[in-house]
Amino acid sequence: MNKPKCSLIGKDGNIFNLMEIVSRTLKENNLYNEANEMYQRVTGGEAQSYDEALRIIMEYVEVY
């Protein structure tokens, strides 16, 4: 997958806020399935910490 660029630097670091920004970026790039998959992976128990949640998020977008 060619990851879309997503500006997260300087944003509110609340994980739900970051997930919303990433989800919006994915959907703007017609990556609806990836947006849903990312959300499910983070909230469904795969991420046991903030760092793990960030790792998952960064699999889907290029953060700048």
Side-chain angles (χ1 to χ4, degrees):
M1 173 178 84
N2 190 12
K3 299 192 291 188
K5 294 183 179 185
C6 182
S7 176
L8 294 181
I9 296 173
K11 305 293 186 200
D12 174 358
N14 177 288
I15 197 63
F16 294 103
N17 182 57
L18 297 179
M19 286 192 321
E20 176 58 34
I21 294 168
V22 170
S23 179
R24 187 177 319 120
T25 298
L26 291 168
K27 290 175 182 176
E28 288 171 354
N29 286 274
N30 295 316
L31 298 170
Y32 296 95
N33 291 336
E34 289 81 352
N36 290 331
E37 179 181 281
M38 179 268 307
Y39 184 83
Q40 290 300 317
R41 288 180 65 199
V42 172
T43 62
E46 186 173 333
Q48 297 296 313
S49 69
Y50 183 80
D51 288 340
E52 289 176 3
L54 286 179
R55 179 189 53 77
I56 292 169
I57 285 171
M58 292 189 326
E59 289 179 22
Y60 293 90
V61 293
E62 181 181 329
V63 176
Y64 71 95

